[in-house]
Amino acid sequence: MSEKNKVQEFFKLGEVGNYFIRVFQKPDPNKPSNFNLRMMHGINKISIVMFLIAIIIWVAKRLL
């Protein structure tokens, strides 16, 4: 296995990583949607943003 393939495999997002990216995109108009599903995705967006802010604050405290 070459070095390039090792790096690509290390940074491969997988199913969970793809969800984090997909949750911030516009919903597909061809897929069915209801109120509960929209609220679930909205809460997930809030929790992802809060988690990233917390990680940034934690890293900043450790470095400064």
Side-chain angles (χ1 to χ4, degrees):
M1 183 182 280
S2 70
E3 186 66 30
K4 184 178 179 183
N5 287 342
K6 289 179 186 178
V7 173
Q8 284 179 334
E9 187 68 29
F10 181 75
F11 286 108
K12 192 174 184 180
L13 292 176
E15 208 170 304
V16 175
N18 287 334
Y19 175 78
F20 288 134
I21 294 170
R22 195 175 63 238
V23 78
F24 289 102
Q25 295 175 346
K26 294 284 184 190
D28 186 7
N30 297 328
K31 290 187 177 181
S33 179
N34 61 26
F35 179 76
N36 292 332
L37 188 61
R38 288 194 312 266
M39 288 300 108
M40 180 193 70
H41 287 298
I43 292 170
N44 284 350
K45 288 177 189 179
I46 293 168
S47 64
I48 290 169
V49 169
M50 287 178 63
F51 174 76
L52 292 175
I53 290 170
I55 292 294
I56 291 169
I57 291 171
W58 183 78
V59 167
K61 280 185 175 181
R62 297 290 176 212
L63 293 177
L64 300 176

